[in-house]
Amino acid sequence: MSGGRWVRISLPLRLAMVAALVLAGGLAGASHTASAAPVPIYNAPAGGGAITEVVKKVGPFQLDALGGLHSQDEGQGLVPRPAGAYGIKTASFDLVDENDQPIGRHDVHLHHFVIGALNKVDTACPNRKVAGLFVQPLIGSGMERTPITFQDPYALEVNANDAWGAVWHLMNMSGTARTVYVKYTLGVQYGATADNTRFITPFWADARGCPAGETWDVPGNGGVGGVETYTKSWPMPFDGYLIGIGGHLHDGGISITTKHGDGSFLCQNLATYASGMLDVISACPMHDTVTAGEMISVTSRYDNSAPHDDVMGIAVMFLWQGDQGVPPTTTTTEPPPTTTTTGVANVLGASVPATPTAAMPAFTG
Ligand SMILES: [Cu+2]
């Protein structure tokens, strides 16, 4: 469907987007109890087998030079996906030109590109609709273009008849007109089934409202060092596990912080900057229990010393609804993960809950 036709949807509803996310098994030695606690992965099923990488492109977007009438493209539409049924294990996003050559991250800004499943309900905000259709946000990317990896035995389920849409915002920051495609590479397991894989549920938790992804303007009236903060709490939809949290922020963003209902720390997705632009947002791989109804708070922090328009603040959580059963009595089963399936830098750390890491791989394309 590269270069093909897509349907423009006029509703202003925005999905949102993923940022950094690499997911790991937990290491700490607590057993599964009613209270939130990091736990190791045990009694894991075998997983979905070999990972096949599939590349899809959306476009072309014809962008004028910066300052031109159409230097930006902000839209929504149907997007292609790998055919069939499978589990998604990895995802990465890039911008390329008409010759499939990568475009510099600072030449054209990928503010966001978020893929959602149509006719599926957003677990966090069940009323989310685009053009009259229910939409479940799945995966995406922002400025940082950080790859996504789900640790075994976890994967994101895609059914044979699923259809995908996306919302995007691209901006040409360079002095020349450009032809731009959004290119995404998905690592999928065609062998993934409910028997051999723990399928996860995306839970996009915004710091302000529902559905996640509505933009707002930071006024910039905080003076030197001023910080604007918003916090919203989200009820967990079921008993299970929190597998990881990626943060999404726009330029000006400082961090997204999540905490358990009892106030205990879960994750800080920390933004770092290069050449004055958002460069990396750290991710929090984890394996931590959640209970139905538990309120997890999401706090966004933005620089308020200067105005920042059209910003977002989202904790993109991935949950597993399930119970690992009785812990094995012989040994703890899962060693610390030391590599990821995509070969990106190892951020699967020894600490659970995960702490911010500046070592998140930047996707340089
Ligand atoms: Cu955004």
Side-chain angles (χ1 to χ4, degrees):
M1 191 164 153
S2 170
R5 176 177 168 277
W6 29 3
V7 178
R8 293 287 172 142
I9 300 170
S10 62
L11 287 190
L13 182 63
R14 298 154 194 259
L15 292 176
M17 75 282 326
V18 169
L21 196 56
V22 181
L23 304 173
L27 307 175
S31 63
H32 187 174
T33 64
S35 62
V39 296
I41 297 172
Y42 52 77
N43 298 334
I51 296 174
T52 303
E53 287 207 332
V54 182
V55 177
K56 294 293 179 184
K57 283 200 265 189
V58 170
F61 301 93
Q62 303 291 350
L63 301 181
D64 292 343
L66 181 65
L69 202 58
H70 188 72
S71 62
Q72 302 186 46
D73 194 301
E74 191 167 11
Q76 315 174 75
L78 303 179
V79 298
R81 70 169 184 87
Y86 43 84
I88 296 175
K89 295 292 288 181
T90 67
S92 62
F93 294 82
D94 200 4
L95 298 181
V96 297
D97 65 16
E98 61 273 36
N99 299 314
D100 202 39
Q101 295 304 303
I103 296 173
R105 298 170 65 213
H106 296 318
D107 289 332
V108 177
H109 281 183
L110 174 64
H111 282 304
H112 48 250
F113 186 87
V114 181
I115 294 172
L118 306 182
N119 295 312
K120 292 194 169 186
V121 173
D122 177 359
T123 302
C125 296
N127 293 327
R128 181 197 293 274
K129 284 186 174 181
V130 178
L133 299 179
F134 287 108
V135 174
Q136 177 194 38
L138 295 177
I139 50 174
S141 185
M143 281 287 286
E144 70 298 328
R145 302 189 202 175
T146 308
I148 297 167
T149 298
F150 300 116
Q151 179 66 27
D152 288 335
Y154 295 97
L156 194 55
E157 184 177 24
V158 177
N159 301 125
N161 295 324
D162 286 357
W164 285 1
V167 297
W168 58 79
H169 185 185
L170 312 171
M171 187 188 301
N172 190 355
M173 303 300 287
S174 67
T176 55
R178 291 177 184 271
T179 300
V180 179
Y181 292 81
V182 176
K183 180 179 183 178
Y184 42 103
T185 303
L186 305 179
V188 304
Q189 286 178 322
Y190 291 106
T193 68
D195 289 332
N196 63 29
T197 298
R198 293 176 180 173
F199 286 128
I200 52 182
T201 301
F203 192 93
W204 292 52
D206 196 282
R208 286 176 31 122
C210 204
E214 298 288 346
T215 58
W216 76 93
D217 295 339
V218 181
N221 58 3
V224 176
V227 175
E228 182 207 59
T229 299
Y230 284 104
T231 298
K232 178 176 170 61
S233 291
W234 292 82
M236 290 295 98
F238 43 64
D239 291 346
Y241 289 82
L242 184 47
I243 305 306
I245 304 176
H248 178 67
L249 294 160
H250 291 193
D251 273 330
I254 298 169
S255 64
I256 297 282
T257 303
T258 38
K259 293 180 179 176
H260 276 299
D262 64 4
S264 60
F265 177 84
L266 267 170
C267 167
Q268 185 184 59
N269 303 111
L270 191 62
T272 52
Y273 287 77
S275 306
M277 294 175 187
L278 183 54
D279 189 48
V280 176
I281 300 175
S282 62
C284 295
M286 60 179 64
H287 200 250
D288 201 314
T289 57
V290 294
T291 52
E294 177 192 354
M295 300 299 286
I296 288 186
S297 69
V298 176
T299 299
S300 68
R301 297 173 71 237
Y302 267 85
D303 162 57
N304 194 24
S305 68
H308 303 282
D309 291 344
D310 291 332
V311 304
M312 294 183 181
I314 306 167
V316 179
M317 304 180 190
F318 290 93
L319 306 173
W320 176 56
Q321 181 176 16
D323 187 323
Q324 297 196 104
V326 179
T329 52
T330 50
T331 60
T332 53
T333 54
E334 298 293 322
T338 54
T339 58
T340 71
T341 50
T342 52
V344 298
N346 172 35
V347 298
L348 310 180
S351 67
V352 174
T355 52
T357 168
M360 275 305 297
F363 188 73
T364 55

